Amino acid sequence: MAKKFFSTVCALIVCSCSIAQTAIISGNAKTYAGDTLKMYSVSDYISKTERVVATAPVDADGNFTFKVNALANTIMAYIDLTVFKGVLFVEPKSNLQIVLPVKQQLAIEDRLNPYFKPEMFYIKCLNLSEKDLNAVFPAFDREYNQALNKIFYSFKNVSKAYVDSVKKIISDKCQSQDKFFTDYRDYKFAMFDYTAYRRSKDDIVNKLFSSREVLVNNPAYAELFDEVFANPLSGNKAAVITVQGLYTGIYDKSYRTLKRILLSDPKINGNDRLADYVLLKGLGDSYYSDTFPKENIVAVVDSFALMSNHADFRPIAKTLSQKFTKLMKGYFAPDFNLKDFKGNIFSLREQNKFVYITFFNPMSYTAQSEFELLKKIRSEFPSDVLQIVTVFVSQDYSDMKQFMAKNPDCNWPVVWYNGDTQLLKDYNIRAYPSYYMTSPDGKLIMNPAPAPTEYFEPKFANLVRDWKIEQTRRQYRDDNKSLH
C-alpha cells in the first residue's frame, strides 16, 4: 500500500513538473543599460491586480533575459517601459528574442500625473512564424479593429450574415489552437456581434458565461463581462440580473443571502463560480457608483473573502476590501516611509499622534502660499499632539533640497515622494495642495482635512476634543464588559 502511495505521489510530482515550465525572453536594448526591467501580468480583471512575473537586469552592453518560472498556461504579459507598455504573449517553454523601442523619459507633467497611461504596443519578436502567438494576436487585433471601425462608420443596418462572413475571414487569416487565443477570439467575436447588431445579452450570458468557465485573466472575457454584467446588483431595468431582493442582502451585509439570490437567477443557471464572480463585479460597481452604503459593501466583501467556496476568488475580495477602505475614515491610511532633505526616514505608522499630511508641488502657487501658513500652525500646537508632514512631489530629490534651503525656518518633516506614483494614486491626489489627517492610532480621521486657510485651528481643536471623548467612552465600555 505504501509503495503504491509513493508511486502515486511521484507520478503527481512528475506530472506537475511536466506541466509547469520556464519561458525565456531575451534581447538587447542598450538605451536601458543599468536598468532592471519588470514583466507583469494581470492576475484578475475585477481588482485589476498586477503581479510581477519576472525581472531582467540590463547589463552594460544592453543584454537582458527574463525567466518566467512555473508557467502552466499561456499568459498575456507586458513590460513597463515608462512611456510605453509592451505587450507579449508567453507560453510554457517558449524561447523568445524581442526588440524594445529606444528608451524615452516622461515629460515633467506626465511624471507628476498619477493618472498618466503609457502607450500600449505589441512587442516585436524575432524569427516568428505566422502561427506563433506573438504574430497571431497582433494580426487578429488589426483585422478585428478594422472590421469594427467599418461597422462604426457605416450608416446601414448590419446583418448577422455579414458579421458571420467577416468573422470567418478573420478566423481564416489568424489561426492558432492555443486555448488562451481561442478564448480571446470567441469573446472578441461575441463583442463584435453585440456591437454590430445588438445581440441579446441573455443569449450571450447563456452561451458564453453560464455554461462556460470563468476566465479571470483573459482581457477579451473581461471586456465582454464588463459590458454584459454592468452594475449587476443595481436592480435597474438595464441590468442582466433580474432577480429581486439583492438590496436586502447588501443592507443585511450578508454574503450568503446575496449568493443564494444570485443562484436563483435562471441566467446564472446554478453556476456557483459565475455567481461569485458576478457578485465581486457587482460589489465593485456598487461601491464606486454609490448605489449602496459603502460600509455595507465593505462588510459583504470581507465576508466573501472568508466564506467563498472558491479559493482563487478570496484574494480578489481581499484586494477589493483594501482598495475600498484605503481612504475611508476609520481605516488605516496608506502607509509610507520617505526620506527628508537630510536623509532621515519618516514613517507614517510610527507617529502615535495626530498627523496632518500635506501633498505639495512647488509649481503650485496655492501650495507655496499655504506652506507659509503651516509654519504658524506648527507653532500653535504641541509637537506631541500634532505632527505635520509634507510630501514633496517634484521631478528630483534635489528640487526638495533647494526648496528647503530657501525655507530654513521649516521645522517639520518635508519628505520626497521618491517617484512613487502609486502613493499619489493611493491618496487620490488630483490637485496640489491636498490634505489628510490621521489619528494617533494611524487611522484616517479627516478626508479631506481642512487647508490652513479653512479655519484649521478651531477645527483641529474640536477634532482632538471629540477624539478624546470617544476614547474615554470606549474605555468605559471595555471596562464594563470585563466586569460581566
Side-chain angles (χ1 to χ4, degrees):
M1 182 69 181
K3 185 177 180 180
K4 183 177 180 181
F5 175 75
F6 178 75
S7 299
T8 303
V9 171
C10 288
L12 288 171
I13 291 173
V14 170
C15 180
S16 64
C17 290
S18 65
I19 294 173
Q21 304 289 345
T22 298
I24 306 296
I25 300 96
S26 58
N28 181 276
K30 291 185 178 180
T31 56
Y32 295 89
D35 293 350
T36 296
L37 301 175
K38 293 183 179 180
M39 182 181 292
Y40 300 83
S41 71
V42 177
S43 59
D44 75 90
Y45 283 90
I46 295 292
S47 67
K48 296 179 174 61
T49 301
E50 298 173 343
R51 62 186 180 94
V52 178
V53 296
T55 58
V58 185
D59 68 19
D61 296 322
N63 299 309
F64 63 88
T65 300
F66 290 100
K67 292 184 179 180
V68 185
N69 298 313
L71 192 62
N73 301 294
T74 300
I75 62 169
M76 176 178 161
Y78 65 87
I79 302 173
D80 185 0
L81 302 173
T82 310
V83 177
F84 305 108
K85 182 181 285 190
V87 178
L88 194 68
F89 295 90
V90 184
E91 302 173 81
K93 298 181 68 176
S94 60
N95 193 330
L96 300 171
Q97 287 186 297
I98 63 174
V99 178
L100 299 181
V102 173
K103 182 178 179 180
Q104 294 187 30
Q105 298 291 344
L106 282 175
I108 294 177
E109 59 271 21
D110 291 331
R111 189 172 180 179
L112 300 181
N113 176 13
Y115 300 96
F116 169 78
K117 290 186 178 181
E119 182 180 344
M120 302 281 288
F121 74 102
Y122 280 119
I123 294 175
K124 181 181 178 181
C125 298
L126 302 177
N127 304 319
L128 288 182
S129 74
E130 62 179 12
K131 291 192 175 182
D132 285 328
L133 285 185
N134 286 289
V136 173
F137 267 98
F140 177 88
D141 277 356
R142 182 173 59 253
E143 296 287 340
Y144 177 88
N145 290 330
Q146 287 176 357
L148 203 60
N149 286 337
K150 286 183 180 179
I151 290 173
F152 279 138
Y153 293 109
S154 172
F155 294 98
K156 299 178 181 179
N157 292 327
V158 179
S159 68
K160 183 179 184 302
Y162 172 77
V163 170
D164 288 344
S165 67
V166 170
K167 291 192 301 186
K168 186 178 185 309
I169 292 171
I170 297 174
S171 295
D172 290 343
K173 288 184 178 180
C174 311
Q175 296 183 11
S176 172
Q177 297 304 311
D178 181 85
K179 185 178 184 303
F180 190 95
F181 173 75
T182 56
D183 286 335
Y184 182 91
R185 179 198 61 204
D186 290 350
Y187 286 95
K188 276 289 189 180
F189 279 164
M191 177 61 83
F192 192 82
D193 292 347
Y194 182 72
T195 304
Y197 56 87
R198 306 310 291 177
R199 179 179 169 188
S200 164
K201 283 186 178 181
D202 290 354
D203 183 48
I204 292 174
V205 171
N206 291 333
K207 291 185 178 179
L208 290 168
F209 291 109
S210 62
S211 60
R212 295 182 64 168
E213 65 178 314
V214 175
L215 305 176
V216 298
N217 62 355
N218 191 297
Y221 181 98
E223 180 186 25
L224 186 63
F225 186 86
D226 286 349
E227 178 67 33
V228 173
F229 291 97
N231 210 353
L233 307 183
S234 64
N236 63 43
K237 293 181 179 179
V240 72
I241 300 298
T242 56
V243 289
Q244 301 299 308
L246 288 167
Y247 63 90
T248 302
I250 294 179
Y251 279 105
D252 290 344
K253 303 178 183 178
S254 174
Y255 160 74
R256 291 193 185 281
T257 299
L258 285 165
K259 180 72 172 289
R260 175 177 51 78
I261 294 172
L262 280 173
L263 284 171
S264 71
D265 191 297
K267 286 184 287 296
I268 298 295
N269 195 30
N271 187 329
D272 196 82
R273 281 181 65 81
L274 180 61
D276 260 6
Y277 204 62
V278 169
L279 181 53
L280 283 172
K281 171 71 163 55
L283 291 169
D285 289 352
S286 296
Y287 183 89
Y288 291 111
S289 64
D290 292 325
T291 309
F292 301 101
K294 294 187 184 301
E295 295 79 6
N296 295 54
I297 299 292
V298 172
V300 176
V301 169
D302 288 341
S303 296
F304 187 112
L306 294 172
M307 301 168 68
S308 173
N309 296 325
H310 308 292
D312 57 327
F313 287 175
R314 293 178 207 145
I316 302 176
K318 289 180 182 178
T319 302
L320 287 178
S321 179
Q322 292 167 1
K323 291 177 71 173
F324 293 165
T325 61
K326 194 171 286 181
L327 288 178
M328 281 182 67
K329 295 178 185 178
Y331 289 87
F332 286 107
D335 194 16
F336 54 81
N337 298 277
L338 298 173
K339 184 169 62 173
D340 68 13
F341 76 104
K342 294 180 180 179
N344 301 316
I345 299 297
F346 177 92
S347 177
L348 180 62
R349 283 282 189 272
E350 297 175 359
Q351 297 310 303
N352 300 315
K353 62 189 79 172
F354 291 95
V355 181
Y356 189 34
I357 306 169
T358 75
F359 283 85
F360 174 90
N361 184 295
M363 298 172 67
S364 165
Y365 173 78
T366 303
Q368 291 199 38
S369 62
E370 291 185 356
F371 188 87
E372 293 299 315
L373 297 177
L374 288 174
K375 299 175 182 178
K376 177 174 179 291
I377 291 173
R378 173 67 285 164
S379 66
E380 292 185 356
F381 295 97
S383 58
D384 61 344
V385 174
L386 176 66
Q387 174 68 68
I388 299 174
V389 60
T390 295
V391 179
F392 197 97
V393 184
S394 66
Q395 185 172 11
D396 295 305
Y397 178 72
S398 59
D399 296 336
M400 181 181 70
K401 296 184 72 172
Q402 294 172 11
F403 180 85
M404 294 304 293
K406 297 177 181 177
N407 290 272
D409 55 340
C410 173
N411 59 351
W412 68 88
V414 177
V415 297
W416 188 53
Y417 88 121
N418 197 32
D420 187 359
T421 56
Q422 184 58 49
L423 178 64
L424 305 184
K425 292 178 183 177
D426 287 346
Y427 276 91
N428 195 29
I429 303 302
R430 297 176 179 271
Y432 299 96
S434 292
Y435 300 95
Y436 297 88
M437 179 75 70
T438 60
S439 60
D441 55 6
K443 295 179 180 178
L444 201 62
I445 198 169
M446 299 182 84
N447 171 20
T453 54
E454 297 173 333
Y455 305 103
F456 174 87
E457 291 88 339
K459 290 180 180 179
F460 178 67
N462 290 336
L463 175 70
V464 174
R465 181 200 62 204
D466 293 343
W467 190 82
K468 288 182 176 179
I469 291 173
E470 178 58 28
Q471 297 309 300
T472 302
R473 287 174 177 168
R474 287 185 181 178
Q475 186 61 50
Y476 176 77
R477 289 195 296 266
D478 291 343
D479 289 345
N480 281 341
K481 286 180 182 179
S482 64
L483 294 175
H484 294 287

